[in-house]
Amino acid sequence: MKNFITLLVLLMLIISCNDDNESVISATNLNVSSNAFESIRGKWELVSLDSQKMDATIVPPTTVTLEFESDLNEELKFFLGGNASCNQYGGELLKLDNNTIDFVQLYATEALCPEPSWNEFEAVYFSMLFNSTEYSLSSESLTLANDRETLLFTKAKE
């Protein structure tokens, strides 16, 4: 019996690490690399968005933020949230590993912006953000992208 418990504990330890000995945290269908999360944790500001649909790079009309945080209270969860000019948004990080990103339970408030062009900007931003499937980091910038669209963020000054 003692050998069985020792074997079970050893098996659990082996399963909890990936090939690089980097821990991967799994809870409520999460597949979030702890090292990857720590590299994007914090507040980011949108610099530009680039879409093949629009054949243009767009600069946001106001400060647009994206923030990644975790909650360890009841169960481990990783969140994203921010301000998209007029509306707040958020959701849960479902996957963050090997330059792949995925979200779940996304939401956005529905306030009207003072300028009609801001409403159009937010619709494009939310679509691009919520459809992002990959991410990359380089010094102080974060890029979220899919096949046709790219969002470029810089680390917000504290």
Side-chain angles (χ1 to χ4, degrees):
M1 183 70 171
K2 188 187 264 185
N3 288 340
F4 176 73
I5 293 173
T6 304
L7 182 62
L8 185 61
V9 168
L10 183 60
L11 183 61
M12 289 173 60
L13 285 171
I14 291 170
I15 292 172
S16 69
C17 293
N18 67 12
D19 294 338
D20 301 319
N21 288 333
E22 175 188 347
S23 62
V24 174
I25 301 163
S26 295
T28 63
N29 297 326
L30 249 50
N31 187 13
V32 176
S33 160
S34 57
N35 286 349
F37 183 77
E38 286 307 314
S39 67
I40 68 166
R41 176 191 291 275
K43 193 172 190 176
W44 300 85
E45 291 182 2
L46 182 66
V47 175
S48 65
L49 48 91
D50 187 15
S51 173
Q52 291 178 359
K53 291 181 204 174
M54 299 176 293
D55 294 326
T57 299
I58 298 172
V59 176
T62 64
T63 301
V64 174
T65 61
L66 170 63
E67 189 165 1
F68 293 96
E69 290 299 328
S70 61
D71 180 6
L72 304 173
N73 290 335
E74 293 178 23
E75 61 182 77
L76 185 58
K77 289 189 178 182
F78 299 94
F79 297 98
L80 70 142
N83 182 313
S85 291
C86 309
N87 288 285
Q88 303 294 316
Y89 67 92
E92 191 174 326
L93 199 52
L94 181 67
K95 179 175 177 135
L96 183 72
D97 196 15
N98 297 323
N99 292 336
T100 303
I101 193 165
D102 195 12
F103 314 106
V104 68
Q105 298 179 3
L106 297 167
Y107 68 89
T109 58
E110 298 178 353
L112 286 176
C113 298
E115 299 290 328
S117 63
W118 293 14
N119 290 320
E120 293 169 18
F121 167 81
E122 282 194 344
V124 171
Y125 173 71
F126 287 142
S127 174
M128 291 175 71
L129 176 66
F130 295 167
N131 289 304
S132 294
T133 57
E134 54 193 63
Y135 76 96
S136 63
L137 288 166
S138 60
S139 79
E140 293 294 310
S141 68
L142 168 66
T143 302
L144 299 179
N146 62 35
D147 295 354
R148 302 170 313 277
E149 303 166 323
T150 304
L151 297 166
L152 177 63
F153 296 86
T154 58
K155 195 74 168 165
K157 293 176 178 49
E158 300 291 323

